[in-house]
Amino acid sequence: MRGGEKVFSRLCGLSGAFYELCELYGHGHKYLWKGRRNMLFGNKSSSVEWLIAGLGNPGSKYEKTRHNIGFLTVDLLAEQKGVKLNKVKFKAAYQIMTFAGARCLVMKPQTYMNLSGEAVREAAQFYKIPADHVLVIYDDVSLPVGKLRVRPSGSAGGHNGIKSIIAHLGTQDFPRIKIGAGAPEDKEGMIDWVIGVPSQGERKVLLESFQRAILAAECIIEQGCARAMNGFN
C-alpha cells in the first residue's frame, strides 16, 4: 500500500472507490527538491529554516473531520517523505525533515485547535524561526470543498486556530494555505459541520487538494508566496 493510500485508509476509513483515486494520484507525481541556501534569523543560524503547521484536533474523535484537514495534509506530506510525525515536544507531534530543499519542522499541534498558537510559538522561539517562515495549513469554510487559497498574511477570518497563532506570534504576517471545507446550508449548524466527517464525494476532492497543498507549500518555500498565489489560487 503506497503513501497516499496508507495515510487516507488509516485516517479517513476510505472505501474501494477512493483507493482507486489514491492510486491515480499516487503515481506520476515526482517531486523535485531543489537546493536552497541556509536561512538566517538575526545573527544566529538555525538548524530549522521553516515551520510547517497543519492544524486540527488530536484524538480519534476528530481524526476524520473537516476541521482536521491541516492534520491530514501534513500526514500525507510525512507519508510521502517516508517519515512519521512521532516526536513529541512543543505541545505537538512533529518531525524535522528536508522538504523543498530546506530543513523543515512539520508539526501537528496537540493543544486542540483554539490553542494552536502555543505549540507554534514554542517551536518558532526554540529554533528562532521568523514569522514569515511559519507556514500554516488549515481548513476554511468560506471556500468550496477542495479549493486552495494561498496568502502571505491576513486576519484570522473567524478561524480560532489562526486567531491563536496571531496572538502568540504577535503578528498576522505569516504565510498560510487554506483548504476549502465547504459550508452547510444552515449556518447555525456550522460547529457540527466542521467537526463532521466529509462525504465520500468530498473525500475524493480533498485528496487532490491535499496533494496540491503540498505542491503549494513547496512553491512557497522555494519561490515565495507571490509565485504560489499565481500558481495555486
Side-chain angles (χ1 to χ4, degrees), residues 94 113 118 144:
Y94 78 99
M113 183 67 80
E118 294 181 4

Side-chain angles (χ1 to χ4, degrees), residues 1-230:
M1 186 174 287
R2 293 178 175 82
E5 298 173 48
K6 183 178 179 181
V7 68
F8 290 104
S9 63
R10 183 178 70 247
L11 296 180
C12 299
L14 305 176
S15 68
F18 199 54
Y19 288 155
E20 293 177 6
L21 196 83
C22 288
E23 185 70 14
L24 175 63
Y25 288 106
H27 298 292
H29 289 278
K30 293 185 179 179
Y31 301 99
L32 178 62
W33 314 121
K34 299 179 181 178
R36 184 180 177 87
R37 67 180 179 83
N38 186 45
M39 304 297 296
L40 298 178
F41 179 52
N43 294 319
K44 299 180 180 180
S45 63
S46 172
S47 60
V48 173
E49 302 164 74
W50 281 81
L51 190 161
I52 302 174
L55 302 190
N57 287 309
S60 59
K61 177 180 178 181
Y62 300 103
E63 66 182 1
K64 302 176 184 179
T65 65
R66 296 179 180 88
H67 222 22
N68 274 32
I69 279 175
F71 272 19
L72 290 169
T73 302
V74 295
D75 275 328
L76 180 58
L77 169 59
E79 205 66 77
Q80 292 176 345
K81 298 298 291 181
V83 300
K84 295 181 179 180
L85 305 181
N86 57 3
K87 292 186 177 180
V88 179
K89 193 176 181 180
F90 315 119
K91 300 178 182 177
Y94 78 99
Q95 187 59 262
I96 295 173
M97 65 187 76
T98 299
F99 172 66
R103 290 287 286 169
C104 300
L105 188 155
V106 180
M107 68 151 53
K108 297 191 297 183
Q110 299 296 292
T111 55
Y112 288 94
M113 183 67 80
N114 293 2
L115 299 176
S116 298
E118 294 181 4
V120 171
R121 181 192 62 197
E122 286 190 20
Q125 287 183 342
F126 185 86
Y127 285 105
K128 301 178 177 63
I129 302 171
D132 63 357
H133 278 53
V134 174
L135 173 58
V136 184
I137 303 173
Y138 62 101
D139 62 292
D140 190 333
V141 296
S142 69
L143 296 174
V145 175
K147 174 71 175 178
L148 292 193
R149 185 81 76 223
V150 176
R151 288 286 182 264
S153 63
S155 66
H159 194 285
N160 288 331
I162 296 299
K163 185 183 300 183
S164 175
I165 293 172
I166 290 173
H168 282 86
L169 292 183
T171 180
Q172 63 179 18
D173 296 329
F174 54 87
R176 68 284 306 266
I177 300 172
K178 308 175 186 181
I179 302 177
E185 294 182 4
D186 180 5
K187 299 303 181 183
E188 293 183 0
M190 186 63 74
I191 293 178
D192 289 337
W193 177 263
V194 296
I195 62 172
V197 177
S199 69
Q200 186 67 28
E202 289 173 332
R203 293 177 194 176
K204 293 179 180 180
V205 175
L206 286 170
L207 175 60
E208 182 177 1
S209 73
F210 298 161
Q211 296 277 13
R212 293 187 69 246
I214 291 170
L215 290 173
E218 178 188 19
C219 186
I220 290 170
I221 292 171
E222 290 188 333
Q223 303 180 59
C225 267
R227 179 65 63 87
M229 289 169 66
N230 288 334

